Amino acid sequence: MMDSSSGGKLEDRNWDAQRPLYEVKANLFKGLSHPVRVRVLELLCAQPETSVSELLEDTGLEASHLSQHLSVLRRHHLVVAERRGSLVFYRIAFPQVADFLLVARHLLTEVLQQNQQQLMSTIELPDVPLAHTQ
């Protein structure tokens, strides 16, 4: 059996199946742990599929950097690739990926609103006198 860093597809799935669910979930979050990968997923959620050349244009990344991020997304089963001639097209692997990103956006919006409310409430507090140094 190959470890997850070896790139084996079936072996990775079998290896993950032997791990506790919380570890598998943590690996999923590793796949989402870079802003570029989140942006790529958002772009892929907006269309049924997107070519690598479109992703390069939309992200402004160098091909090698995009390739590395797409590899991570594939390894964590978030996207799938399909080669057609000389072109490679990507799409999200499961519709729940789009749902997950939307839930994350709603959660972050609520957190930011709560933080803004807390910040605004500090404006109403009386000033604290500064300590005098002698």
Side-chain angles (χ1 to χ4, degrees), residues 18-35:
Q18 303 302 315
R19 303 188 74 143
L21 185 58
Y22 60 86
E23 287 184 24
V24 177
K25 284 181 184 178
N27 283 331
L28 171 70
F29 287 110
K30 286 179 187 177
L32 297 164
S33 67
H34 195 282

Side-chain angles (χ1 to χ4, degrees), residues 39-84:
R39 180 65 184 139
V40 167
L41 287 172
E42 289 174 343
L43 291 167
L44 293 174
C45 289
Q47 302 180 58
E49 64 181 14
T50 306
S51 70
V52 171
S53 59
E54 290 173 310
L55 289 171
L56 284 168
E57 185 179 320
D58 290 341
T59 62
L61 293 172
E62 293 180 21
S64 62
H65 292 144
L66 178 61
S67 177
Q68 291 172 5
H69 288 295
L70 290 168
S71 176
V72 171
L73 292 172
R74 282 192 317 273
R75 184 170 52 248
H76 292 288
H77 312 290
L78 294 165
V79 300
V80 292
E82 182 180 334
R83 179 175 291 281
R84 293 187 209 134

